[in-house]
Amino acid sequence: MIFSLITGALIGWLAGHFTQRTSRGCIWNVLAGLMGAMIGEQLFGYWGPSLAGMALIPSVLGAIIVIVVVSFFLGDNKR
């Protein structure tokens, strides 16, 4: 479970880096990464390298979607 949280944080951090959105902290990265993994694997399938049971490429794509949608509704600007 700890490894899944760390992997979620890594996925959320990567997605935040790619979108260049302002950082909301470690907990936000974990939530965005875990939610992104669920959404990304449902939309794009389970392919590519995996870590802690999460396909990394679809998970990062899903986390990017999560970050963009949340930023749109909260009115966040790019850095």
Side-chain angles (χ1 to χ4, degrees):
M1 174 131 177
I2 298 293
F3 196 55
S4 295
L5 294 174
I6 292 170
T7 304
L10 174 68
I11 291 169
W13 176 80
L14 281 172
H17 180 71
F18 288 138
T19 59
Q20 297 181 352
R21 301 289 180 183
T22 56
S23 178
R24 294 189 177 275
C26 185
I27 294 174
W28 165 249
N29 285 343
V30 171
L31 291 175
L34 293 176
M35 289 175 52
M38 291 187 317
I39 291 170
E41 289 175 359
Q42 291 295 316
L43 292 175
F44 305 114
Y46 191 85
W47 54 275
S50 65
L51 192 60
M54 294 178 248
L56 293 179
I57 297 170
S59 297
V60 171
L61 293 174
I64 289 172
I65 292 169
V66 168
I67 289 173
V68 168
V69 168
V70 169
S71 295
F72 175 76
F73 283 110
L74 295 180
D76 291 346
N77 295 325
K78 291 185 179 181
R79 282 188 219 182

